[in-house]
Amino acid sequence: MTETIHVQIGTTPDRGDLEETLEAIDAGESVESEPARLTVESLELFGRIFRPTNLELLEAIAEHDPASIRELARIVDRHPPEVTENVHELADYGLVELVDDGRAKRPTIWYDEIEISGDVPLRNATDDAAPA
């Protein structure tokens, strides 16, 4: 069964559903209720979170299940401090969970795919009149 995280580009950050889902997973509970959602407040923030380097990390975690951030850095051939910074950013948004594994932190994800939706305004909402 494919697990999906739904990402919405919107005006208000709402990570409540995602945090509840992660807590349920940590508690060993089933998570078949409503789909997990992450709302990011702007297209700019969405671009930062889902930039190519972060997507590469998510794909490497999904494919290789690394035992540590250092191992993940070796997989993607990047410096560990940079990977650590990116992984912590992804963890801040609930896209990666860091599991204590001895002295290491093991990055994990619980989903198989990301579904993205949202509107991209081409003009400021206060611009009601068309240019002359």
Side-chain angles (χ1 to χ4, degrees):
M1 181 173 157
T2 301
E3 295 288 336
T4 303
I5 184 169
H6 301 271
V7 178
Q8 170 73 41
I9 302 170
T11 57
T12 307
D14 177 10
R15 300 180 189 105
D17 291 344
L18 180 60
E19 290 171 9
E20 289 174 16
T21 299
L22 292 174
E23 288 172 9
I25 290 170
D26 287 343
E29 299 172 8
S30 175
V31 290
E32 292 195 36
S33 56
E34 293 204 17
R37 296 189 189 283
L38 169 65
T39 302
V40 293
E41 56 268 21
S42 69
L43 187 58
E44 179 182 341
L45 178 59
F46 175 84
R48 191 177 86 225
I49 294 169
F50 292 99
R51 64 187 173 269
T53 53
N54 283 353
L55 289 174
E56 178 185 32
L57 293 175
L58 293 173
E59 289 173 352
I61 293 167
E63 290 178 20
H64 300 282
D65 193 25
S68 67
I69 294 174
R70 184 170 293 282
E71 182 181 335
L72 176 61
R74 279 192 296 270
I75 292 168
V76 297
D77 194 28
R78 290 180 46 210
H79 295 289
E82 294 171 3
V83 172
T84 298
E85 182 178 328
N86 292 143
V87 167
H88 282 279
E89 177 182 37
L90 291 168
D92 287 345
Y93 286 95
L95 295 166
V96 170
E97 185 174 2
L98 295 171
V99 177
D100 289 326
D101 192 4
R103 292 180 50 204
K105 298 261 187 203
R106 183 170 52 88
T108 64
I109 60 173
W110 55 268
Y111 50 91
D112 303 304
E113 65 182 18
I114 300 169
E115 179 181 284
I116 300 166
S117 63
D119 297 323
V120 179
L122 299 177
R123 159 185 352 207
N124 188 335
T126 60
D127 294 342
D128 291 334

